């Protein structure tokens, strides 16, 4: 599968490039997921998931947790991932779990 700059798939790079940044410089959950469709997201690699999470303005970096647990697009969007699952893999911050779950919900709404 082709990778663009930084090991991110071209589909994710195009989606994230269109994200909106607020005047305070923080990316909102809605803006980060605005240009992403469910059909694209389920094909994400673990690196794509990590790149997407970076756009959510989370308090911690969860790249190790995502890599250690093999959290790719299929796991993130096709399963019944919940707050307890996120806590189990190391997403300890309540606000971060909430932001991740809201972003997942926003993207799931684009499912056909």
């Amino acid at each position: 599968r082709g990778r663009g700059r930084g090991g991110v798939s071209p589909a994710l790079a195009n989606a994230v490039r269109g994200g909106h940044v607020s005047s305070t410089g923080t990316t909102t959950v809605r803006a980060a997921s605005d240009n992403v469709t469910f059909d694209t997201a389920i094909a994400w690699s673990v690196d794509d998931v990590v790149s997407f999470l970076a756009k959510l303005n989370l308090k911690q970096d969860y790249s190790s947790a995502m890599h250690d647990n093999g959290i790719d697009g299929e796991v993130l969007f096709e399963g019944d991932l919940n707050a307890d699952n996120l806590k189990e893999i190391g997403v300890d911050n309540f606000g971060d779990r909430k932001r991740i779950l809201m972003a997942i919900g926003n993207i799931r709404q684009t499912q056909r």
Side-chain angles (χ1 to χ4, degrees):
R1 157 155 81 187
R3 293 280 176 227
R5 196 177 240 179
V8 176
S9 74
L12 177 65
N14 288 336
V16 171
R17 193 176 305 119
H20 308 286
V21 178
S22 73
S23 60
T24 62
T26 59
T27 305
T28 64
V29 170
R30 172 72 64 194
S33 56
D34 268 352
N35 298 311
V36 180
T37 66
F38 178 83
D39 293 335
T40 301
I42 60 170
W44 283 353
S45 68
V46 175
D47 288 333
D48 292 336
V49 169
V50 168
S51 294
F52 179 71
L53 294 180
K55 303 297 180 191
L56 296 179
N57 196 34
L58 303 175
K59 299 295 181 195
Q60 295 178 335
D61 176 9
Y62 299 106
S63 56
S64 293
M66 297 301 128
H67 282 282
D68 292 348
N69 291 284
I71 308 298
D72 60 9
E74 184 177 13
V75 172
L76 199 63
F77 296 102
E78 290 263 10
D80 57 352
L81 192 72
N82 60 43
D84 290 335
N85 299 141
L86 290 172
K87 192 169 186 176
E88 182 179 335
I89 65 169
V91 182
D92 294 323
N93 184 282
F94 176 82
D96 287 353
R97 288 194 304 270
K98 184 74 171 173
R99 284 179 191 88
I100 293 168
L101 292 172
M102 286 189 308
I104 290 169
N106 289 344
I107 292 170
R108 281 186 178 152
Q109 289 178 2
T110 68
Q111 186 176 11
R112 293 179 204 173

